Amino acid sequence: MSRSRSMRRRRLARTLRQYRAASGLSGEDTAKALLCGSGTISRMENGESSDPLRVRDALRLYGAPEALVDDMVAIALETRKRGKPGAVRRPYQDVVPKRLAEYYELEDEAVQASMLEGECVPGLIQTAEYARALIGAGEPNDEVDRLVSIRMDRQQRLLHDHPLNLRVVLGEAALLTAVGGPDVLRAQLDQLVALAHDAPSVRIRMLPFSAGARPALGRNFTILSFPDDADPDVIFAESVTYFVLEDETAEVEKFQAAYNQLWDMAVDETRSAKLIEEAASRIA
């Protein structure tokens, strides 16, 4: 089993969903058999609740192998010992929505992040000034400092002895959108060039306007990959009003295929660094 706390919770929830579906039982059927409400079953399958006895009884009801039942009960017991599901190592939950805080914890545990960003530089490789300008455009002033601090804290993953492997497909629009004004954008582009040359764990490929129609046009997303093969990749996508985390196999495979196609369509790392340098040199 994975040593990752949040991935264990996600594995437990996914196992409960999959075995219930295979059994043909509805959430209401399960709730009636376990003498609980259907909301309890829903929370178990969303990773928000993991009572060990209910986990055991649900999986036995679904006909799961006893060895698997034992593994899942062990995860439920561990989750109870370590605290409430959703708790994160750093105090993100006091500042950002719960779903986003969960993503930050998963990011801590990942070995690779594959990001698609069309219009702006991703948070993991932003300068503080660029981050401040970007965050300040949509958040209350009294929250900006804390949110910038979180973003800079997250970047420590790139500096570890075993750093996060980061792949970024970056749209050409990000080189032209003057977040924070010319000086801030120029400094940000200079940082991208420095990372391209000096950070082996960071790979940046530009997707020029000339690439034309492509998968996921108009969308941004991140694929997180983990050290344990039993833990599937997790897809993260966000908009102004919501945050989505997805680990169902069929959906994950669609995003993986789209990202692989985009990576191949993008300009290679060496040429991308030159495009970024040229864009920086044109800023007045």
Side-chain angles (χ1 to χ4, degrees):
M1 291 187 294
S2 169
R3 292 171 293 176
S4 154
R5 179 177 59 192
S6 61
M7 290 310 298
R8 281 177 179 259
R9 286 198 308 269
R10 295 186 72 82
R11 187 186 302 180
L12 172 58
R14 188 172 61 253
T15 299
L16 288 165
R17 293 195 305 269
Q18 290 174 343
Y19 272 86
R20 181 179 60 75
S23 75
L25 293 170
S26 68
E28 290 77 11
D29 295 333
T30 302
K32 185 179 294 186
L34 298 186
L35 304 177
C36 64
S38 58
T40 298
I41 304 304
S42 178
R43 287 189 294 274
M44 289 169 62
E45 294 184 0
N46 288 327
E48 298 172 0
S49 173
S50 55
D51 178 85
L53 292 178
R54 282 216 172 95
V55 167
R56 181 199 65 188
D57 292 346
L59 288 171
R60 285 178 174 171
L61 176 66
Y62 304 151
E66 199 61 27
L68 177 68
V69 174
D70 291 343
D71 284 348
M72 295 302 107
V73 169
I75 292 176
L77 285 167
E78 180 180 290
T79 300
R80 171 169 285 187
K81 288 177 183 178
R82 293 190 178 189
K84 295 180 180 179
V88 296
R89 297 176 197 152
R90 301 171 183 170
Y92 295 147
Q93 71 272 23
D94 296 332
V95 185
V96 301
K98 179 181 176 182
R99 215 42 146 170
L100 187 56
E102 182 181 0
Y103 168 76
Y104 290 161
E105 183 183 8
L106 291 170
E107 188 180 77
D108 275 344
E109 298 163 349
V111 293
Q112 179 170 283
S114 302
M115 296 182 168
L116 167 66
E117 289 285 350
E119 294 182 313
C120 64
V121 174
L124 281 177
I125 50 177
Q126 289 174 1
T127 65
E129 293 78 12
Y130 186 97
R132 184 175 302 281
L134 197 61
I135 293 169
E139 298 290 343
N141 289 336
D142 59 351
E143 293 293 326
V144 172
D145 286 345
R146 288 202 294 174
L147 292 171
V148 171
S149 178
I150 286 174
R151 194 158 294 184
M152 297 301 103
D153 185 43
R154 287 169 54 211
Q155 293 183 5
Q156 296 304 305
R157 275 303 321 275
L158 302 177
L159 305 176
H160 288 180
D161 291 338
H162 300 286
L164 177 72
N165 290 310
L166 179 62
R167 296 194 303 166
V168 178
V169 174
L170 189 61
E172 187 176 354
L175 306 184
L176 305 174
T177 304
V179 174
D183 291 342
V184 170
L185 178 59
R186 186 185 302 107
Q188 177 62 76
L189 298 188
D190 288 344
Q191 174 158 301
L192 294 184
V193 173
L195 287 169
H197 291 317
D198 303 328
S201 67
V202 178
R203 302 173 65 191
I204 302 170
R205 288 192 175 188
M206 296 303 308
L207 194 64
F209 292 129
S210 59
R214 58 174 175 80
L217 186 62
R219 299 185 65 185
N220 301 318
F221 63 86
T222 298
I223 305 173
L224 296 179
S225 303
F226 301 90
D228 193 320
D229 290 339
D231 293 327
D233 288 357
V234 172
I235 308 301
F236 176 74
E238 64 178 300
S239 74
V240 174
T241 58
Y242 68 89
F243 306 91
V244 176
L245 288 167
E246 178 63 71
D247 62 4
E248 294 296 341
T249 302
E251 289 300 309
V252 168
E253 288 177 349
K254 290 177 185 177
F255 279 89
Q256 290 170 329
Y259 195 87
N260 290 338
Q261 186 175 344
L262 289 163
W263 187 255
D264 291 339
M265 291 175 67
V267 176
D268 67 47
E269 291 94 313
T270 300
R271 291 171 58 207
S272 291
K274 291 185 69 67
L275 288 175
I276 298 169
E277 287 178 330
E278 291 168 0
S281 70
R282 291 195 295 267
I283 298 175

